[in-house]
Amino acid sequence: MISPLACTIVANNYLAYARAFTRSFLARHPEGKVCVLIVDRPQPGHRYEDEPFAVTFAHELGIEDFSHFAFRYSILELNTAVKPYFLRHLHRVLGCDRICYFDPDILILGDLTDLYERLGRVDAVLTPHLTAPLDDDKVPSEREILLSGVHNLGFLGISFNERTLPFIDWWARRLYRECLHQVERGLFVDQRWMDLAPSFLGAVEILRDPGYNMAYWNLAHRTAARSGDGWTVNGVPLRFFHFSGYDFRRPELISKFQNRFTFKDRPDVAPLFRLYSDSIAREGQETVHHYPYRYGRFDNGVVVPEVARKVLQRVDPEGKRWPDPFATLEKDSFFDWLRRPVDDHESIPLPRLALTLWDEREDLQKFFARPWGQDRLRFAHWFAGSTGAPEHIDPAFTEAVERALRKAGAAPAREREEKREVLADLTSLADPDTVGGRQKLTSEEVEWLTADAGFEPRRRPRVPRLVMEMHRRRADLLRAFPDPLGTDREGLALWYSTFGRHEYRLPEPVVLPVLRTLPWRKQAWARLWWEKQRRRRPVSPARAMETAETTETAAGAHGAEPAPGPRRRRPPAGPEGLNVIGWSTAPTGVGEACRGTLTALEEAGIPAAVWPLDGRVDGAPGAVAEGAGQGLPFEVSLYHVNADMMETIQGRLPRSIIAGRYRIGYWFWELSHFPLRYAEAFHHVDEVWAPTAFCQESFRPIAPVEVRRVPPCVVPTEAEPASRSELGIDPRAFLFFFAFDVLSVPERKNPAGLLAAFSRVAKQSRRPVHLLLKLNHHESQPSYVEGLQCLAAGLPVTLLTGTLPREGLNGLTAACDAYVSLHRSEGLGLQLIEAMYLGKPVVATGYGGVTDFLDDETGFVVRHRPVALTRPEGPYPAGAVWAEPDVEHAASLMLSLAEDPDSAAPKIEAARRRVHELYAPEAAGRRLRCELARLRQARA
């Protein structure tokens, strides 16, 4: 037999486990060899050459972008993610034809010759977690075993052949990004993937022999016993025991992962655990246990918070911005980005890491509903303190918050709790002369209660601690004044000086410091209001929570007015690049625009990352497809979603990675009237890009942010003409073509008007003419399609339904003699642009976004008159205006074109030049580069 080869994987702090495993293996197979992969940086002063095994370091495996790969994963995830790479490396370097992998917490207790001989006959050998049912309610249960994987990957025997080598390559590709401990997503590091091995490989042996891989999960079905110098299990030789979950610091536990057995229940295995404890103690576990995990620290020595690994997986999974996240000396390091405040709050900087923790923990989300708003102070105290933070965040991430709190004079924890008790007494006050049965408030208590909560002593009006405590406790105040230290400051102060004072019967000393800082008109109004209330019956504190409607009315009547003009915010600092969020794979106009932007960015050499949005095949809006894209590594994000979806998409993206980013909405709209119901969308962007001048003028009247005209990228169309004979169309006929989506409000697309115009052309033309109508999603409105078929009856018209790939639709455009659109409005007119690229004359209504490229020089412009909608049409409200094309004029243009096609040559050439100048990737790329340069200059 060939010399048996075994391998295992450890970090430096598990070297004693690797030594114990190696000595147990070589004791049974002295002719064998053990190779150990160290998933760590070399420990200074350690002599690896003295180890009883051959050493390889993980960074020597040639894994692409290894620094980024190592940072993304926890110690468990990384030690399992490298497994297929290590196996492939050993095969390549040693030329071995088979190998067995063992977890380091295994002791070899018997001869393994039979195991290696089996590998000469099969592709792989696996051991199952269970070989019989579990009929109790203990841990682990059968369901937990299913979630973590059918087979235990603490052992794997593999042969290297033409079947297994591609399998190992596949396994490595999956573990490169998806070796995650996320059982709720069906992922448990490398193990769940191996469930597919029996299906992917032709000869996988599931080894049910109880002597192999005995461990806590199968103790219910296996019993160990001494046999001379060795061990047996269920009467057969015990080959190896897996001490998974054993902690040498808690030797009374069989495993920290189970509660089914204790050593009192299982005295048969107690000697095995004593043997193992002695083995790792002899190998120096007490010493190496203290070796630091160097992939657990930044280059400056700061411990990497586990949540930072998750945020890197979300934000920059491909290393576009931070190829080495451990590095801390670069100008734009991941370390500094985590410490950077998420916004421009002057008093309390909230680092991005803090908001990331909030995103990850449901308890924080419940306790601090709005950490970026009214809960900011409480959340900052939690983050900066030592309690409630099991992540053990390094002070490097909390020091800025701590400084801000100290600078603001935040009381020590004990004093803060004492004052909070006084405050709690006050907010339940029934008698203004007593506090919880005591005498009047002392001057010290009044001073503390009326101190500024916002840590901005010179801001007026004042908002003291007492006001903020009331605000925190009451849902009605949270709704009415969502930003109590900012835009809602004046409204909250006025409420406190009037309604609040009245409801809680507050003593004058805690009210006057706020009342005196209100603007004089509102101060006078408050004094007058209070004088009127004094003559009425006082409101009981028990009714304080019943005043939501009054509170919100007061806020609306007396709150601060918004500043006039567009809202402007400086873009945050960061490298050049753009995040693109949109339906990048959807077969729709919105999807096409998104893909065009990505093409333009590539053409201009601008770094970009796409975050694809999920949805149905037809491109209907769906959830955020987290993990499917390239993250959001850059500081400027372009939302290729229309206004009606902005709030939905923003709400589904992790707040920790979108907060503080500069947000641009790239919105399309088809009418000159932009409904007020979409005005809320402007609150989710810092500026809007309009694809056309028509859209720009539509957005501007209600936009509180800047609206810029940025024409999109439309990739030049190339297509082979479709066969007319296959379509049943006379090759000699002059062919008009129009395509539309029934889901896009067919009344706006107006195919009925086109049929009316074409019927006149068909009757008057001296040469054969034909109209091809391509309908997408015809099944969504069958009655409408039937109506079109009735209008087309008796005319040389072909209605083509069914789904076509983009190439097929382009082929129809290439086969026609002219493209015609009698639309009532268009936001852009993508099909018209593509027809112009293909050198087709265009007949179209001169209204909407098409006017950017369609005029009498570039096409045949159909006259129109404005018409108000008498009833809603899809998203367009009654009263909005669109165009009614002149059918007679359209028919005359179509007729003259059909009878004299050569007359269109100058327009065709002018149109081709126009669309290339406006929409070609080169032009769009230059435009995008200028826009990003503008933003960089704005933040300089």
Side-chain angles (χ1 to χ4, degrees):
M1 175 188 167
I2 61 170
S3 300
L5 181 63
C7 64
T8 191
I9 300 172
V10 295
N12 283 322
N13 65 343
Y14 255 52
L15 282 169
Y17 288 75
R19 293 168 187 157
F21 163 75
T22 299
R23 297 195 199 282
S24 70
F25 182 86
L26 295 178
R28 297 291 175 173
H29 295 279
E31 77 284 9
K33 182 178 181 179
V34 176
C35 299
V36 175
L37 180 70
I38 310 292
V39 186
D40 214 333
R41 293 191 174 106
Q43 173 69 18
H46 188 88
R47 291 179 56 83
Y48 291 94
E49 62 272 23
D50 294 340
E51 297 291 354
F53 42 75
V55 172
T56 304
F57 285 95
H59 66 265
E60 299 172 337
L61 296 180
I63 299 174
E64 183 180 3
D65 299 323
F66 179 75
S67 290
H68 195 275
F69 175 81
F71 192 101
R72 287 199 306 269
Y73 286 140
S74 68
I75 186 170
L76 169 65
E77 292 168 339
L78 185 59
N79 274 261
T80 49
V82 296
K83 194 177 295 181
Y85 297 94
F86 187 37
L87 295 174
R88 193 167 57 187
H89 169 81
L90 293 176
H91 169 65
R92 184 171 58 247
V93 172
L94 301 178
C96 54
D97 67 342
R98 70 196 75 174
I99 194 170
C100 285
Y101 167 84
F102 299 89
D103 270 358
D105 50 0
I106 284 176
L107 277 186
I108 306 300
L109 300 167
D111 184 82
L112 301 179
T113 301
D114 181 64
L115 177 61
Y116 282 90
E117 289 177 350
R118 288 170 185 264
L119 283 173
R121 303 188 295 269
V122 299
D123 294 332
V125 176
L126 295 170
T127 54
H129 278 110
L130 297 176
T131 55
L134 294 171
D135 294 321
D136 56 25
D137 59 355
K138 303 297 185 180
V139 175
S141 65
E142 292 171 339
R143 186 171 183 270
E144 287 165 324
I145 294 294
L146 285 173
L147 288 171
S148 61
V150 174
H151 311 103
N152 178 254
L153 257 287
F155 164 76
L156 170 66
I158 192 84
S159 298
F160 297 107
N161 56 44
E162 68 279 4
R163 295 177 300 278
T164 58
L165 288 173
F167 174 79
I168 292 172
D169 290 342
W170 165 83
W171 194 25
R173 290 194 302 272
R174 293 297 176 267
L175 298 191
Y176 188 75
R177 295 203 184 281
E178 297 181 275
C179 187
L180 300 169
H181 187 186
Q182 295 181 4
V183 176
E184 70 281 0
R185 290 181 56 200
L187 296 174
F188 181 64
V189 292
D190 64 328
Q191 197 161 268
R192 284 301 306 273
W193 296 103
M194 194 53 64
D195 285 353
L196 294 171
S199 301
F200 285 13
L201 296 173
V204 174
E205 181 170 356
I206 309 301
L207 190 56
R208 295 174 175 83
D209 186 323
Y212 293 90
N213 210 3
M214 186 177 179
Y216 74 82
W217 52 80
N218 55 39
L219 284 183
H221 311 122
R222 302 185 187 188
T223 303
R226 287 186 181 274
S227 177
D229 294 335
W231 290 83
T232 63
V233 53
N234 295 1
V236 301
L238 175 57
R239 311 291 181 170
F240 61 89
F241 195 100
H242 193 166
F243 297 88
S244 177
Y246 173 73
D247 187 343
F248 74 97
R249 293 161 299 188
R250 300 191 64 189
E252 74 278 6
L253 296 179
I254 290 177
S255 171
K256 60 185 177 182
F257 302 132
Q258 68 91 40
N259 66 2
R260 184 167 279 111
F261 298 111
T262 66
F263 286 119
K264 184 177 180 181
D265 304 320
R266 297 300 302 265
D268 60 310
V269 298
L272 282 168
F273 279 82
R274 287 195 294 271
L275 170 65
Y276 189 61
S277 178
D278 292 344
S279 297
I280 59 175
R282 282 196 306 272
E283 300 298 346
Q285 178 58 24
E286 285 287 355
T287 299
V288 301
H289 172 69
H290 298 290
Y291 283 179
Y293 177 55
R294 298 189 180 275
Y295 292 134
R297 295 176 180 270
F298 290 97
D299 286 355
N300 59 5
V302 172
V303 174
V304 175
E306 284 302 310
V307 72
R309 304 184 190 279
K310 295 181 179 180
V311 77
L312 184 71
Q313 293 167 11
R314 286 176 172 175
V315 176
D316 192 18
E318 296 184 359
K320 288 176 175 285
R321 180 170 177 180
W322 298 291
D324 184 0
F326 294 103
T328 55
L329 297 179
E330 284 82 354
K331 182 179 179 181
D332 177 55
S333 69
F334 185 58
F335 173 76
D336 287 337
W337 185 82
L338 290 170
R339 299 169 73 222
R340 190 178 303 161
V342 295
D343 55 25
D344 299 326
H345 196 279
E346 296 178 0
S347 300
I348 308 174
L350 196 63
R352 192 169 298 278
L353 182 68
L355 208 52
T356 299
L357 281 170
W358 182 88
D359 260 332
E360 290 293 323
R361 289 180 50 177
E362 291 186 8
D363 60 328
L364 297 182
Q365 294 168 21
K366 291 177 180 177
F367 197 69
F368 308 106
R370 293 176 63 83
W372 55 90
Q374 64 264 31
D375 294 315
R376 191 183 195 102
L377 176 60
R378 293 192 304 118
F379 184 60
H381 274 295
W382 174 86
F383 181 69
S386 58
T387 60
E391 290 81 7
H392 304 297
I393 302 300
D394 191 281
F397 296 103
T398 62
E399 58 188 5
V401 180
E402 292 171 349
R403 278 198 307 269
L405 294 174
R406 285 196 301 270
K407 183 179 179 181
R414 181 177 301 174
E415 179 186 351
R416 195 160 60 240
E417 289 303 316
E418 292 173 354
K419 300 299 185 182
R420 188 175 294 275
E421 291 175 8
V422 174
L423 189 148
D425 287 339
L426 183 59
T427 54
S428 60
L429 189 60
D431 184 346
D433 294 331
T434 62
V435 180
R438 297 189 291 109
Q439 296 300 314
K440 291 182 179 180
L441 291 169
T442 66
S443 59
E444 180 186 359
E445 289 168 346
V446 170
E447 181 180 357
W448 186 85
L449 289 168
T450 58
D452 288 289
F455 306 136
E456 296 174 278
R458 288 185 292 275
R459 279 200 72 176
R460 295 295 182 267
R462 295 181 63 187
V463 176
R465 289 189 174 110
L466 177 56
V467 178
M468 290 303 296
E469 180 63 11
M470 291 176 172
H471 182 272
R472 183 183 71 84
R473 293 181 176 211
R474 289 180 51 167
D476 56 333
L477 297 183
L478 293 173
R479 290 195 303 270
F481 309 104
D483 187 10
L485 299 178
T487 57
D488 297 315
R489 188 184 193 96
E490 190 170 287
L492 180 59
L494 183 61
W495 172 87
Y496 173 77
S497 302
T498 54
F499 291 93
R501 179 183 182 184
H502 179 58
E503 293 168 17
Y504 289 104
R505 301 178 66 195
L506 295 175
E508 189 171 88
V510 299
V511 177
L512 286 179
V514 178
L515 178 62
R516 289 167 177 165
T517 60
L518 283 166
W520 72 268
R521 289 182 183 275
K522 293 187 177 180
Q523 187 178 147
W525 182 89
R527 291 182 185 275
L528 179 61
W529 185 94
W530 180 247
E531 285 299 320
K532 291 180 179 179
Q533 297 304 313
R534 288 180 63 182
R535 300 185 181 95
R536 300 176 183 174
R537 181 180 178 182
V539 178
S540 167
R543 296 178 55 199
M545 299 304 291
E546 302 174 5
T547 60
E549 184 175 349
T550 305
T551 300
E552 293 175 358
T553 302
H558 311 296
E561 296 179 0
R567 184 179 75 248
R568 295 178 184 274
R569 186 172 72 86
R570 291 177 61 187
E576 180 186 38
L578 189 65
N579 307 315
V580 179
I581 302 164
W583 284 281
S584 56
T585 60
T588 61
V590 175
E592 197 69 33
C594 182
R595 290 187 288 275
T597 294
L598 294 172
T599 300
L601 291 167
E602 183 179 7
E603 177 68 31
I606 299 172
V610 60
W611 186 295
L613 301 178
D614 194 9
R616 300 197 304 264
V617 175
D618 60 13
V624 175
E626 182 179 345
Q630 300 165 332
L632 300 173
F634 305 110
E635 295 304 317
V636 180
S637 295
L638 183 66
Y639 288 78
H640 251 296
V641 300
N642 286 331
D644 60 328
M645 287 300 296
M646 280 300 305
E647 183 175 7
T648 299
I649 298 305
Q650 278 278 95
R652 290 174 176 173
L653 287 166
R655 183 169 288 274
S656 59
I657 67 173
I658 62 172
R661 304 299 186 89
Y662 196 78
R663 304 159 301 172
I664 304 171
Y666 208 160
W667 301 347
F668 287 73
W669 182 247
E670 293 80 19
L671 268 62
S672 59
H673 166 75
F674 193 60
L676 282 174
R677 68 174 179 269
Y678 296 147
E680 185 66 24
F682 289 106
H683 295 294
H684 300 284
V685 296
D686 298 295
E687 69 180 52
V688 171
W689 287 359
T692 62
F694 179 80
C695 291
Q696 184 182 33
E697 292 307 311
S698 176
F699 300 147
R700 270 180 172 168
I702 64 170
V705 299
E706 183 177 9
V707 180
R708 301 179 63 82
R709 179 188 169 220
V710 182
C713 171
V714 181
V715 179
T717 309
E718 297 180 0
E720 288 294 323
S723 169
R724 290 195 182 187
S725 58
E726 292 180 4
L727 295 170
I729 299 174
D730 184 353
R732 299 169 300 168
F734 189 92
L735 180 61
F736 294 99
F737 176 51
F738 177 58
F740 73 101
D741 194 322
V742 178
L743 294 175
S744 297
V745 188
E747 289 80 5
R748 178 177 65 83
K749 294 292 188 177
N750 195 25
L754 174 56
L755 284 169
F758 180 73
S759 67
R760 291 167 169 78
V761 175
K763 293 175 183 177
Q764 300 174 31
S765 178
R766 294 190 297 268
R767 64 170 294 182
V769 293
H770 201 99
L771 173 63
L772 174 61
L773 288 180
K774 172 64 180 72
L775 287 69
N776 203 20
H777 298 116
H778 66 287
E779 70 283 355
S780 64
Q781 295 193 40
S783 59
Y784 184 85
V785 176
E786 289 176 6
L788 290 182
Q789 291 171 335
C790 291
L791 292 175
L795 295 173
V797 174
T798 298
L799 266 67
L800 192 62
T801 61
T803 302
L804 281 179
R806 169 57 56 180
E807 296 77 14
L809 185 61
N810 292 341
L812 296 179
T813 307
C816 77
D817 295 302
Y819 191 87
V820 58
S821 172
L822 266 61
H823 59 264
R824 291 188 167 101
S825 190
E826 282 284 6
L828 175 64
L830 178 63
Q831 286 291 138
L832 281 69
I833 297 171
E834 293 178 337
M836 289 179 170
Y837 272 138
L838 288 170
K840 304 299 177 181
V842 170
V843 181
T845 313
Y847 185 79
V850 301
T851 56
D852 280 9
F853 59 87
L854 178 69
D855 54 31
D856 290 331
E857 182 184 355
T858 59
F860 297 85
V861 182
V862 177
R863 293 193 295 264
H864 65 275
R865 58 185 176 85
V867 174
L869 278 67
T870 58
R871 59 186 177 86
E873 295 286 356
Y876 317 122
V881 174
W882 61 20
E884 186 60 47
D886 186 330
V887 171
E888 290 289 347
H889 186 230
S892 66
L893 293 175
M894 294 168 68
L895 185 62
S896 64
L897 181 59
E899 294 185 344
D900 186 12
D902 294 340
S903 64
K907 293 180 183 291
I908 291 172
E909 189 55 37
R912 186 185 279 115
R913 285 197 305 271
R914 180 80 58 83
V915 294
H916 270 278
E917 290 168 357
L918 273 175
Y919 306 114
E922 299 84 359
R926 287 192 296 271
R927 200 155 44 235
L928 291 173
R929 184 167 288 285
C930 289
E931 292 296 330
L932 292 177
R934 169 182 62 85
L935 295 176
R936 287 198 303 276
Q937 185 177 5
R939 68 178 178 235

